[in-house]
Amino acid sequence: MSNDIYQMRIGFVGAGKAGFTLGKYMTEGNVHVSGYYGRRRESAMEAANFTGTNYFETIEEILASSDALFLTVPDGALEPVWNSLKQYPLTGKCICHCSGAMSSAVFSGIDQTGAFGYSIHPLFAIHDRLQSYREISQAYFTIEGSPEYLQFWLQFFEALGNPVRLLGPDHKVLYHSAAVFASNLVTALFETGVGILMKCGFDRDGSEQALAPLFLHNCQNLVKTGAAEALTGPVERGDTDTILRHLQALSEEEKEIYVCLSKVLAGIAKEKNPERDYSLIWKILEEH
């Protein structure tokens, strides 16, 4: 197997959003993508057409035409796909998956096959299989797996322009939970805000439109300046009266979310304003 990133032949098993996006991103970066194989023939053929690569009828054919396989399938399908794959000769091949939460340990018995296993995850929300490749150049990639080709894969994605971090297998689940906090749970928080505005007489469209500038500006400021500098609001100001009124107005479920996150904000506020006393806010939050 070549150590030249532009000679490495990469095949994709699975043709969902991750397969489409990574394959197109790699071909746009002049990486040799051999093509696609998938359980759903139509999707694999569409991905091959989208990336200008080949469609393979069998997993054996794509394996023979690839130095590395990316298994871009749902987490629950990784083990079954691997079990079907490891019956073939794999010596010298790299077998990679793109799960955020699972480590390369899912490739059980890989040492006996002569192959090398990797978990390679873009820290990025792939929202559109035909468009996300244009944006993934901004994403961090994290890599975990066999030592033999760790540096190769690090250099591979760095050459494409991405920042890269190596992870230990024990950190995968915790790492993925961080991504969920910064992405999926933010969606839940926005939806909670929309629901509260609807209680005030807004319709859904009006709620989303009203909150959008606040949400977007805050996110941009947070990324630009960091949490402490971006923090505003009643917790940071020490406005206990407003916090108490919020707690009285919210439902029990909303209150629970508010209290948990306000405790985090109180810690950030203390970091930002070490001279201020936030003990009363802590007391109010603890009592609720």
Side-chain angles (χ1 to χ4, degrees):
M1 186 170 67
S2 174
N3 283 313
D4 184 340
I5 71 166
Y6 300 109
Q7 296 300 316
M8 170 79 77
R9 301 172 302 162
I10 296 177
F12 285 85
V13 176
K17 289 187 289 186
F20 266 71
T21 298
L22 290 174
K24 184 67 170 178
Y25 181 53
M26 290 180 189
T27 57
E28 291 286 301
N30 297 315
V31 172
H32 183 174
V33 174
S34 54
Y36 289 81
Y37 164 79
R39 182 176 56 84
R40 294 183 62 233
R41 183 173 185 270
E42 296 79 8
S43 295
M45 291 182 70
E46 187 181 351
N49 289 333
F50 179 60
T51 56
T53 62
N54 299 308
Y55 164 71
F56 294 92
E57 289 280 355
T58 68
I59 201 167
E60 186 174 14
E61 289 173 347
I62 193 172
L63 182 59
S65 298
S66 307
D67 301 307
L69 281 187
F70 275 67
L71 310 187
T72 48
V73 298
D75 286 10
L78 276 174
E79 189 172 357
V81 171
W82 166 242
N83 287 335
S84 66
L85 185 62
K86 66 183 180 182
Q87 65 182 296
Y88 299 105
L90 296 177
T91 301
K93 307 280 187 180
C94 284
I95 311 298
C96 312
H97 71 70
C98 298
S99 167
M102 299 180 73
S103 76
S104 60
V106 71
F107 300 131
S108 59
I110 196 169
D111 291 344
Q112 285 70 50
T113 70
F116 309 99
Y118 298 91
S119 170
I120 298 177
H121 181 250
L123 197 53
F124 182 78
I126 300 177
H127 60 89
D128 188 308
R129 65 179 184 163
L130 301 181
Q131 298 297 328
S132 289
Y133 78 92
R134 303 177 188 276
E135 305 159 344
I136 203 169
S137 61
Q138 305 166 35
Y140 259 82
F141 276 74
T142 57
I143 303 173
E144 173 275 321
S146 303
E148 286 82 356
Y149 284 92
L150 272 179
Q151 288 302 312
F152 170 84
W153 289 113
L154 185 149
Q155 292 166 11
F156 178 96
F157 286 101
E158 285 184 339
L160 289 174
N162 297 92
V164 184
R165 291 294 298 265
L166 301 180
L167 285 181
D170 294 343
H171 287 153
K172 283 289 294 187
V173 174
L174 192 61
Y175 151 81
H176 191 248
S177 71
V180 168
F181 268 100
S183 178
N184 307 132
L185 295 183
V186 172
T187 302
L189 286 175
F190 187 84
E191 178 65 14
T192 301
V194 166
I196 292 171
L197 275 190
M198 290 173 70
K199 293 179 184 179
C200 300
F202 286 70
D203 61 16
R204 170 166 287 278
D205 287 346
S207 297
E208 292 174 350
Q209 290 170 13
L211 290 175
L214 175 67
F215 176 80
L216 290 171
H217 179 73
N218 186 62
C219 287
Q220 291 166 352
N221 198 33
L222 175 63
V223 170
K224 182 178 178 181
T225 67
E229 286 302 313
L231 181 61
T232 62
V235 171
E236 193 266 338
R237 294 193 300 270
D239 187 351
T240 55
D241 288 343
T242 297
I243 292 170
L244 283 168
R245 288 198 296 271
H246 287 170
L247 292 169
Q248 291 166 1
L250 294 172
S251 70
E252 286 303 313
E253 186 177 74
E254 293 159 355
K255 189 186 301 183
E256 184 176 357
I257 297 168
Y258 185 99
V259 167
C260 287
L261 295 181
S262 292
K263 288 178 179 179
V264 177
L265 294 183
I268 299 170
K270 187 62 178 176
E271 176 188 340
K272 181 178 181 179
N273 307 300
E275 74 286 355
R276 294 187 189 175
D277 183 3
Y278 289 96
S279 59
L280 182 55
I281 286 179
W282 273 104
K283 184 174 185 293
I284 291 168
L285 295 173
E286 288 290 343
E287 290 176 348
H288 286 80

